[in-house]
mmCIF file of all heavy atoms in Angstrom:
data_model
loop_
_atom_site.group_PDB
_atom_site.id
_atom_site.type_symbol
_atom_site.label_atom_id
_atom_site.label_comp_id
_atom_site.label_asym_id
_atom_site.label_seq_id
_atom_site.Cartn_x
_atom_site.Cartn_y
_atom_site.Cartn_z
ATOM 1 N N ASP V 38 -4.457 29.128 11.801
ATOM 2 C CA ASP V 38 -5.315 30.088 12.499
ATOM 3 C C ASP V 38 -6.757 30.057 11.990
ATOM 4 O O ASP V 38 -7.044 29.586 10.882
ATOM 5 C CB ASP V 38 -4.757 31.502 12.312
ATOM 6 C CG ASP V 38 -3.385 31.672 12.933
ATOM 7 O OD1 ASP V 38 -3.276 31.473 14.148
ATOM 8 O OD2 ASP V 38 -2.427 31.993 12.203
ATOM 9 N N GLY V 39 -7.656 30.607 12.803
ATOM 10 C CA GLY V 39 -9.030 30.831 12.390
ATOM 11 C C GLY V 39 -9.727 29.590 11.896
ATOM 12 O O GLY V 39 -9.662 28.519 12.504
ATOM 13 N N ILE V 40 -10.368 29.711 10.736
ATOM 14 C CA ILE V 40 -11.144 28.585 10.212
ATOM 15 C C ILE V 40 -10.265 27.453 9.702
ATOM 16 O O ILE V 40 -10.763 26.374 9.389
ATOM 17 C CB ILE V 40 -12.132 29.025 9.110
ATOM 18 C CG1 ILE V 40 -11.383 29.563 7.878
ATOM 19 C CG2 ILE V 40 -13.130 30.032 9.651
ATOM 20 C CD1 ILE V 40 -12.281 29.725 6.662
ATOM 21 N N GLY V 41 -8.954 27.691 9.646
ATOM 22 C CA GLY V 41 -8.053 26.593 9.311
ATOM 23 C C GLY V 41 -8.212 25.429 10.276
ATOM 24 O O GLY V 41 -8.106 24.269 9.888
ATOM 25 N N GLU V 43 -10.895 24.507 11.536
ATOM 26 C CA GLU V 43 -12.183 23.862 11.262
ATOM 27 C C GLU V 43 -12.160 23.079 9.955
ATOM 28 O O GLU V 43 -12.698 21.971 9.869
ATOM 29 C CB GLU V 43 -13.282 24.923 11.218
ATOM 30 C CG GLU V 43 -13.389 25.752 12.507
ATOM 31 C CD GLU V 43 -14.339 26.933 12.382
ATOM 32 O OE1 GLU V 43 -15.270 26.865 11.556
ATOM 33 O OE2 GLU V 43 -14.133 27.929 13.101
ATOM 34 N N ALA V 101 -4.652 27.892 7.330
ATOM 35 C CA ALA V 101 -4.654 29.350 7.182
ATOM 36 C C ALA V 101 -3.614 29.936 8.116
ATOM 37 O O ALA V 101 -3.268 29.355 9.138
ATOM 38 C CB ALA V 101 -6.028 29.917 7.500
ATOM 39 N N VAL V 102 -3.121 31.116 7.755
ATOM 40 C CA VAL V 102 -2.150 31.819 8.592
ATOM 41 C C VAL V 102 -2.631 33.245 8.792
ATOM 42 O O VAL V 102 -2.926 33.941 7.820
ATOM 43 C CB VAL V 102 -0.745 31.833 7.948
ATOM 44 C CG1 VAL V 102 0.228 32.629 8.819
ATOM 45 C CG2 VAL V 102 -0.230 30.421 7.745
ATOM 46 N N GLY V 103 -2.708 33.672 10.045
ATOM 47 C CA GLY V 103 -2.993 35.071 10.311
ATOM 48 C C GLY V 103 -4.129 35.297 11.296
ATOM 49 O O GLY V 103 -5.193 34.698 11.181
ATOM 50 N N ILE V 282 -14.433 32.923 -2.437
ATOM 51 C CA ILE V 282 -13.041 32.600 -2.161
ATOM 52 C C ILE V 282 -12.941 31.349 -1.287
ATOM 53 O O ILE V 282 -11.905 30.709 -1.211
ATOM 54 C CB ILE V 282 -12.337 33.813 -1.512
ATOM 55 C CG1 ILE V 282 -10.817 33.702 -1.696
ATOM 56 C CG2 ILE V 282 -12.724 33.962 -0.049
ATOM 57 C CD1 ILE V 282 -10.064 34.964 -1.347
ATOM 58 N N HIS V 304 -8.575 31.020 0.990
ATOM 59 C CA HIS V 304 -9.461 31.887 1.769
ATOM 60 C C HIS V 304 -8.861 32.550 2.999
ATOM 61 O O HIS V 304 -9.393 33.522 3.505
ATOM 62 C CB HIS V 304 -10.707 31.112 2.192
ATOM 63 C CG HIS V 304 -10.456 29.838 2.937
ATOM 64 N ND1 HIS V 304 -9.756 29.760 4.112
ATOM 65 C CD2 HIS V 304 -10.817 28.558 2.635
ATOM 66 C CE1 HIS V 304 -9.708 28.508 4.537
ATOM 67 N NE2 HIS V 304 -10.331 27.744 3.646
ATOM 68 N N GLY V 305 -7.764 32.073 3.533
ATOM 69 C CA GLY V 305 -7.217 32.684 4.735
ATOM 70 C C GLY V 305 -7.995 32.292 5.981
ATOM 71 O O GLY V 305 -8.831 31.390 5.962
ATOM 72 N N SER V 306 -7.746 33.005 7.076
ATOM 73 C CA SER V 306 -8.273 32.586 8.374
ATOM 74 C C SER V 306 -9.706 33.034 8.637
ATOM 75 O O SER V 306 -10.328 32.567 9.585
ATOM 76 C CB SER V 306 -7.363 33.101 9.496
ATOM 77 O OG SER V 306 -7.281 34.514 9.466
ATOM 78 N N ALA V 307 -10.249 33.947 7.812
ATOM 79 C CA ALA V 307 -11.663 34.372 7.889
ATOM 80 C C ALA V 307 -12.117 34.661 9.315
ATOM 81 O O ALA V 307 -13.006 33.987 9.847
ATOM 82 C CB ALA V 307 -12.562 33.319 7.242
ATOM 83 N N PRO V 308 -11.545 35.665 9.981
ATOM 84 C CA PRO V 308 -11.852 35.913 11.397
ATOM 85 C C PRO V 308 -13.320 36.240 11.675
ATOM 86 O O PRO V 308 -13.794 36.038 12.794
ATOM 87 C CB PRO V 308 -10.954 37.110 11.753
ATOM 88 C CG PRO V 308 -10.571 37.725 10.441
ATOM 89 C CD PRO V 308 -10.529 36.609 9.465
ATOM 90 N N ASP V 309 -14.048 36.683 10.655
ATOM 91 C CA ASP V 309 -15.449 37.068 10.863
ATOM 92 C C ASP V 309 -16.383 35.880 11.074
ATOM 93 O O ASP V 309 -17.505 36.053 11.571
ATOM 94 C CB ASP V 309 -15.946 37.920 9.694
ATOM 95 C CG ASP V 309 -15.781 37.227 8.347
ATOM 96 O OD1 ASP V 309 -14.754 36.550 8.150
ATOM 97 O OD2 ASP V 309 -16.676 37.368 7.495
ATOM 98 N N ILE V 310 -15.940 34.671 10.708
ATOM 99 C CA ILE V 310 -16.838 33.515 10.855
ATOM 100 C C ILE V 310 -16.252 32.415 11.731
ATOM 101 O O ILE V 310 -16.779 31.304 11.776
ATOM 102 C CB ILE V 310 -17.251 32.928 9.484
ATOM 103 C CG1 ILE V 310 -16.013 32.456 8.688
ATOM 104 C CG2 ILE V 310 -18.056 33.937 8.679
ATOM 105 C CD1 ILE V 310 -16.385 31.626 7.459
ATOM 106 N N ILE V 311 -15.158 32.703 12.429
ATOM 107 C CA ILE V 311 -14.541 31.694 13.293
ATOM 108 C C ILE V 311 -15.546 31.202 14.333
ATOM 109 O O ILE V 311 -16.238 31.989 14.981
ATOM 110 C CB ILE V 311 -13.311 32.271 14.002
ATOM 111 C CG1 ILE V 311 -12.205 32.592 12.988
ATOM 112 C CG2 ILE V 311 -12.772 31.296 15.054
ATOM 113 C CD1 ILE V 311 -11.039 33.358 13.574
ATOM 114 N N GLY V 312 -15.660 29.892 14.473
ATOM 115 C CA GLY V 312 -16.496 29.299 15.502
ATOM 116 C C GLY V 312 -17.972 29.221 15.188
ATOM 117 O O GLY V 312 -18.749 28.686 15.993
ATOM 118 N N ALA V 316 -17.894 27.695 7.974
ATOM 119 C CA ALA V 316 -16.769 27.799 7.039
ATOM 120 C C ALA V 316 -16.931 26.775 5.921
ATOM 121 O O ALA V 316 -17.299 25.621 6.163
ATOM 122 C CB ALA V 316 -15.452 27.575 7.780
#
Side-chain angles (χ1 to χ4, degrees):
D38 296 301
I40 64 168
E43 303 171 27
V102 177
I282 201 168
H304 55 58
S306 60
D309 56 322
I310 60 169
I311 294 171

